[in-house]
């Protein structure tokens, strides 16, 4: 284990430093600075190497957290990288973007601040890339089997890398012009610069994975054509249908889905020209929804120099401490201050949106009211209505499921009642040879779940094609051991 008395000697939790707010809002570079090695070693030494490491309960990937904490404390970076990559294809993604349910399950967290697992993870990954320890792992032989992966988000990329490494010929189809899905166009650069994605894609290309961009499966090529062309198909298109808000004034110019706004901003950040870009410069911005997507809109609006930024959430403000009904080792719903919240803006809870207000077809304000709970329902409280100025409103209310994309019509793959592509215990749809991984099958979830499902679906595909598999399957499609954001 790491330092046997580390958790007794070092009780302070030292997290990764963030660049000063006045500096970072002037650019799109990542918010976090690199962690000093001495601090990292001290924090890794706090790991208790528990007899039953409950951090595994919180992590769908089954990351070997005590092992790479110990190796980090001992200064064995290459070995730590090997153990980290043994269960996680993309630790540089999860170390930046995952909300770290593993830390909520840390045994030390019962009576002390949890081990900084997430920052240790990303530090290991960054050292591995910096030292050249991350190399292509091409297969020793080819199986002669072909697999199409539709969607290049974390689930699709994880499935593709696993299947390529065991010898299948894999092609990843992406409807956008570049690979990455929401990693490319949904996540702002201040959370993950795209060079981080590109260097991993370079590894995958060197291993033999093929990428087909600008191809909308279901339109440019049918699902049936894909099924006949390949021995297996993996649907990893995500849960991209946004939840709308059907109230008066929804048609006004200035009301947008959050992801439309973020995609445009990411394209411009990448050097592209976006006609009629949604730009918050000098405007009063209101964001509906208090999750990660809403926070991404906050940070983006600040960097575009918005006049004001307000976030409205219909429910109550979460508690700062773990509530009694979400005891350890559960993943609690807590009030958190993300980097974007540090940068300014107002956060208002118990705020119900009643109407979008405008003139001549253009949004000018938002009529809101206090939220009251009636028979378990959240409703606007009569007599509390007021209008707040708004030039732009972004709907960050979550997603309702996967896009149909012709799946049912072209290959008779049904959807379930939750709007997800239906699948069985082996990740397969009712159509033999067509599998589903990630948010397309489980609904909107975490990046760590997407990678875990991509790995598990790859094992199911390999078993389907070869009769057996050596690939690990970290999770079952019905596994919902932690709460989903």
């Amino acid at each position: 284990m790491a330092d046997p008395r580390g958790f007794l000697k070092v009780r302070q939790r030292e997290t990764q430093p963030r660049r000063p707010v006045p500096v970072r809002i002037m650019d799109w570079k990542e918010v976090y600075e690199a962690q000093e090695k001495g601090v990292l070693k001290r924090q890794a030494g706090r790991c208790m190497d528990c007899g039953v490491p409950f951090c595994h309960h919180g992590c769908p990937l089954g990351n070997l957290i005590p092992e790479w904490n110990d190796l980090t404390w001992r200064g064995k970076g290459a070995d730590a990288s090997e153990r980290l990559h043994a269960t996680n294809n993309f630790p540089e993604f999860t170390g930046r973007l995952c909300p770290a349910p593993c830390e909520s399950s840390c045994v030390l967290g019962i009576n002390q601040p949890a081990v900084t697992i997430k920052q240790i993870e990303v530090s290991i990954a960054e050292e591995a890339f910096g030292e050249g320890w991350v190399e292509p792992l091409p297969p020793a032989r080819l199986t002669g089997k072909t697999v199409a992966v539709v969607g290049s988000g974390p689930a699709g990329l994880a499935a593709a890398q696993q299947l390529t490494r065991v010898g299948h010929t894999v092609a990843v189809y992406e409807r956008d012009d570049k690979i990455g899905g929401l990693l490319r166009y949904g996540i702002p650069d201040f959370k993950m610069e795209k060079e981080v994605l590109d260097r991993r894609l370079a590894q995958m290309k060197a291993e033999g994975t093929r990428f087909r961009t600008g191809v909308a499966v279901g339109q440019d090529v049918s699902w049936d054509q894909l099924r006949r062309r390949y021995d297996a198909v993996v649907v990893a298109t995500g849960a991209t249908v946004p939840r709308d808000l059907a109230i008066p004034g929804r048609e006004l110019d200035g009301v947008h889905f959050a992801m439309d706004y973020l995609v445009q901003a990411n394209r411009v950040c990448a050097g592209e020209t976006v006609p009629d870009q949604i730009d918050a410069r000098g405007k009063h911005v209101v964001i509906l929804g208090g999750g990660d997507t809403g926070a991404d809109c906050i940070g983006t609006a600040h960097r575009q120099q918005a006049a004001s930024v307000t976030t409205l959430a219909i429910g109550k403000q979460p508690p700062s401490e773990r509530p009694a009904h979400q005891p350890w080792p559960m993943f609690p719903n807590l009030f958190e201050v993300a980097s974007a919240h540090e940068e300014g803006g107002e956060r208002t809870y118990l705020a119900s949106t009643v109407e979008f207000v405008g003139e001549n077809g253009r949004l000018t304000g938002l009529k809101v009211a206090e939220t009251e709970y009636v028979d378990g329902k959240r409703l606007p409280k009569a007599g509390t209505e007021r209008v707040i100025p708004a030039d732009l409103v972004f709907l960050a209310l979550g997603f309702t499921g996967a896009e149909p994309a012709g799946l049912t019509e072209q290959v008779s793959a049904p959807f379930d009642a939750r709007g997800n592509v239906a699948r069985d215990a082996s990740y397969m749809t009712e159509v033999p040879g067509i599998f589903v991984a990630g948010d397309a099958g489980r609904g909107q979830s975490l990046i760590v779940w997407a990678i875990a499902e991509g790995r598990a679906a790859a094992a199911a595909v390999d078993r389907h094609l070869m009769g057996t598999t050596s690939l690990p399957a970290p999770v079952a499609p019905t596994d919902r051991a932690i709460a989903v954001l």
Side-chain angles (χ1 to χ4, degrees):
M1 64 180 293
D3 187 351
R5 297 181 60 82
F7 67 95
L8 297 174
K9 294 187 297 185
V10 182
R11 291 178 174 268
Q12 182 181 0
R13 175 182 164 96
E14 299 173 88
T15 55
Q16 203 168 358
R18 296 169 177 166
R19 294 193 293 138
V21 170
V23 175
R24 72 191 194 219
I25 63 172
M26 301 302 293
D27 61 43
W28 296 87
K29 296 185 182 297
E30 288 187 14
V31 166
Y32 287 97
E33 298 176 346
Q35 185 65 281
E36 196 270 321
K37 276 203 169 185
V39 174
L40 200 69
K41 180 176 180 177
R42 285 198 302 272
Q43 291 301 306
R46 296 177 69 231
C47 180
M48 302 169 69
D49 193 18
C50 314
V52 180
F54 276 81
C55 51
H56 289 185
H57 163 86
C59 180
L61 284 164
N63 280 336
L64 305 172
I65 295 165
E67 294 187 29
W68 40 260
N69 277 339
D70 171 65
L71 292 165
T72 298
W73 181 73
R74 297 179 186 278
K76 298 182 177 181
D79 292 337
S81 173
E82 186 276 327
R83 300 314 289 147
L84 179 57
H85 282 92
T87 57
N88 187 351
N89 296 70
F90 314 123
E92 69 277 19
F93 302 164
T94 53
R96 287 173 167 85
L97 305 175
C98 181
C102 54
E103 294 185 11
S104 299
S105 300
C106 175
V107 173
L108 185 59
I110 295 175
N111 60 2
Q112 284 189 40
V115 175
T116 57
I117 298 170
K118 179 178 174 178
Q119 98 180 23
I120 296 168
E121 175 182 16
V122 72
S123 298
I124 294 171
E126 287 307 303
E127 183 181 18
F129 274 103
E131 296 293 334
W133 298 331
V134 179
E135 298 179 339
L137 300 174
R141 62 178 183 83
L142 295 177
T143 64
K145 302 293 185 179
T146 58
V147 182
V149 176
V150 183
S152 65
L157 292 179
Q161 186 169 60
Q162 293 292 92
L163 289 166
T164 297
R165 287 177 172 178
V166 293
H168 304 308
T169 300
V170 181
V172 178
Y173 286 81
E174 171 57 57
R175 65 182 176 183
D176 282 328
D177 57 330
K178 293 181 180 179
I179 293 295
L182 292 186
L183 292 171
R184 172 77 62 184
Y185 290 125
I187 301 296
D189 276 33
F190 59 79
K191 288 178 68 175
M192 189 181 80
E193 295 178 36
K194 299 307 174 277
E195 290 81 359
V196 174
L197 171 61
D198 291 335
R199 69 189 182 188
R200 183 62 77 173
L201 294 177
Q203 181 204 33
M204 294 182 64
K205 290 176 183 177
E207 291 173 345
T209 301
R210 305 173 183 184
F211 295 104
R212 307 281 187 263
T213 57
V215 181
V217 177
Q219 298 178 16
D220 300 326
V221 59
S222 72
W223 291 98
D224 187 54
Q225 289 175 318
L226 216 61
R227 186 181 63 156
R228 287 186 278 110
R229 187 180 304 173
Y230 292 89
D231 296 307
V233 176
V234 178
V235 181
T237 52
T240 55
V241 179
R243 181 173 284 107
D244 208 341
L245 185 60
I247 60 174
R250 173 62 181 87
E251 75 287 350
L252 290 171
D253 184 18
V255 183
H256 305 276
F257 289 118
M259 201 51 65
D260 293 340
Y261 172 57
L262 294 175
V263 167
Q264 289 188 3
N266 273 302
R267 287 187 175 278
V268 171
C269 189
E272 300 180 29
T273 299
V274 176
D276 302 319
Q277 182 195 0
I278 306 168
D279 195 336
R281 183 180 299 272
K283 296 178 180 178
H284 297 289
V285 175
V286 178
I287 299 159
L288 304 184
D292 285 345
T293 303
D296 293 345
C297 290
I298 295 172
T300 300
H302 284 142
R303 283 159 180 76
Q304 292 179 345
Q305 301 179 24
S308 68
V309 182
T310 303
T311 301
L312 303 180
I314 192 173
K316 300 176 182 178
Q317 179 175 320
S320 298
E321 301 292 333
R322 184 188 288 274
H325 70 281
Q326 292 176 330
W328 177 90
M330 292 180 65
F331 187 36
N333 180 28
L334 299 176
F335 178 76
E336 295 182 351
V337 179
S339 64
H341 298 130
E342 290 180 338
E343 296 164 1
E346 180 182 343
R347 301 171 76 179
T348 302
Y349 289 87
L350 289 175
S352 293
T353 306
V354 178
E355 181 182 354
F356 299 111
V357 179
E359 295 179 0
N360 301 318
R362 178 72 200 177
L363 179 75
T364 59
L366 198 65
K367 181 183 287 188
V368 299
E370 295 179 12
T371 302
E372 64 176 349
Y373 286 76
V374 179
D375 297 328
K377 296 181 180 180
R378 298 178 296 192
L379 301 172
K381 185 177 181 180
T384 64
E385 295 86 356
R386 60 189 177 95
V387 176
I388 60 176
D391 302 304
L392 287 173
V393 170
F394 299 127
L395 305 180
L397 305 173
F399 301 86
T400 60
E403 296 181 34
L407 267 167
T408 302
E409 295 82 3
Q410 295 174 9
V411 289
S412 302
F415 284 64
D416 63 23
R418 297 173 56 240
N420 306 319
V421 185
R423 58 189 183 176
D424 62 19
S426 63
Y427 290 87
M428 193 187 296
T429 68
E430 291 185 3
V431 184
I434 297 184
F435 297 78
V436 186
D439 289 3
R442 71 178 290 113
Q444 181 191 8
S445 189
L446 309 179
I447 183 173
V448 69
W449 275 105
I451 297 172
E453 287 219 355
R455 289 171 63 89
V461 171
D462 189 36
R463 185 178 296 106
H464 170 75
L465 295 177
M466 308 301 293
T468 185
T469 183
S470 60
L471 291 173
V475 294
T478 55
D479 189 347
R480 305 188 65 83
I482 63 170
V484 175
L485 290 183

